[in-house]
Amino acid sequence: MSTSRDSLLEYRQQPLLELVHSEENYVQQLQLVRDTYMTVVSTQHFLTTTPSLLRSESCCSERSSTLSNRPSPETSLSPLQPIPTPPAELANRWRIIWGNWVQLTEWHSQFVEKLKRAVHEQPDDVPRLFLNSQSRLRQMYMKYCENYPKAVILVAPFKTYFEELRRAFFDKNDILSRLMQPIQRVTRYQLPMMEALKLTEQAGTDEAATWRAAVIVLKNLPNDVQLMLEVSAQILIFFILN
């Protein structure tokens, strides 16, 4: 019986490691946007070349999936492209586009380290980590979703500019895909946690109740986010029409 229990708990590491991997990837994407797109307005007057995403330390492990193939600066015969200058109307609202992106980046950069430590040292601390973070998670993502409809409306008239910027950064993702990433992320915590819960229950450990509580939180979070998106969009449409 003990052998079966130990085997189940060992197998439980697989979805937890997948959770860590996806969180690391998410943090890299957050950092990538923070270190490239978000700096365009504040630094463009001081930069003469594009800070290519390929050279960003925050996305080194994601080169193959995020960036198109490109010769290294040392071997390329052509100079790096200059950063396209945003229209004044867009530049003045640049911060609005990103909302609390920096806050998300800083928080998740710390959270992923706690998550890795829990998975490798004490897996039953993983659900407690989410339970202890539920208020913060909800607050941050409700704030991001409140701003999201405004961001989409702001970027819509400037599709050509953002396409030029995407090419300058050698980024495979367009601006709308980038803005959607935080919203997509909150929907993806529950699946590996549900799998881990299933194995925990099969193993018959005393921590099953804690895992169940964490899964409930992670199931409710996407619903809250979706509701905030709908409410924010309705309010924005009301003000536009009136």
Side-chain angles (χ1 to χ4, degrees):
M1 183 69 178
S2 177
T3 302
S4 175
R5 178 178 181 274
D6 291 343
S7 297
L8 286 167
L9 294 180
E10 182 178 353
Y11 187 65
R12 185 180 66 178
Q13 287 296 97
Q14 181 176 342
L16 294 181
L17 290 173
E18 291 173 357
L19 178 63
V20 168
H21 176 72
S22 63
E23 185 71 6
E24 287 178 325
N25 178 54
Y26 178 51
V27 169
Q28 289 168 352
Q29 300 307 310
L30 289 173
Q31 292 173 342
L32 184 151
V33 170
R34 179 198 62 189
D35 297 339
T36 53
Y37 287 94
M38 291 186 66
T39 65
V40 167
V41 170
S42 60
T43 63
Q44 65 165 331
H45 298 299
F46 306 101
L47 296 176
T48 57
T49 59
T50 300
S52 168
L53 297 185
L54 188 60
R55 301 172 63 189
S56 173
E57 293 181 359
S58 64
C59 62
C60 288
S61 65
E62 289 299 307
R63 290 176 184 174
S64 61
S65 62
T66 306
L67 308 176
S68 58
N69 294 328
R70 173 186 179 225
S72 65
E74 292 77 15
T75 60
S76 177
L77 298 178
S78 59
L80 295 176
Q81 300 180 38
I83 300 175
T85 302
E89 181 183 358
L90 178 62
N92 292 336
R93 300 180 176 182
W94 198 253
R95 289 182 178 273
I96 299 176
I97 295 173
W98 308 107
N100 61 329
W101 194 284
V102 171
Q103 180 189 39
L104 292 174
T105 305
E106 293 175 350
W107 189 88
H108 280 278
S109 296
Q110 297 175 8
F111 179 78
V112 71
E113 296 303 321
K114 297 176 184 178
L115 181 62
K116 286 192 291 186
R117 186 162 55 249
V119 168
H120 291 293
E121 297 178 6
Q122 184 54 263
D124 283 323
D125 283 345
V126 172
R128 280 187 279 272
L129 181 60
F130 279 104
L131 289 172
N132 293 336
S133 304
Q134 61 178 309
S135 296
R136 187 63 167 165
L137 276 169
R138 189 177 187 278
Q139 177 189 24
M140 289 190 303
Y141 281 93
M142 295 291 273
K143 183 176 181 180
Y144 183 82
C145 290
E146 182 180 7
N147 185 75
Y148 176 79
K150 291 185 288 186
V152 171
I153 289 176
L154 281 176
V155 304
F158 302 99
K159 290 182 179 179
T160 300
Y161 170 74
F162 280 106
E163 177 61 17
E164 293 175 357
L165 193 60
R166 182 192 68 78
R167 291 177 180 176
F169 285 142
F170 294 88
D171 188 6
K172 285 187 176 180
N173 293 283
D174 61 27
I175 182 63
L176 293 180
S177 297
R178 287 295 180 190
L179 291 173
M180 179 59 70
Q181 284 177 334
I183 298 171
Q184 292 174 328
R185 180 56 187 160
V186 296
T187 68
R188 294 172 179 168
Y189 286 114
Q190 57 180 297
L191 292 180
M193 288 293 288
M194 288 172 62
E195 181 63 23
L197 167 61
K198 178 181 177 181
L199 293 167
T200 302
E201 290 176 330
Q202 290 176 354
T205 74
D206 296 334
E207 298 290 340
T210 305
W211 284 89
R212 280 193 291 270
V215 167
I216 290 173
V217 167
L218 295 174
K219 283 184 176 181
N220 289 336
L221 183 59
N223 295 333
D224 293 340
V225 165
Q226 182 61 36
L227 179 60
M228 175 55 75
L229 280 174
E230 293 173 359
V231 171
S232 298
Q234 290 172 0
I235 293 174
L236 190 58
I237 291 172
F238 174 81
F239 279 107
I240 291 174
L241 296 179
N242 293 275

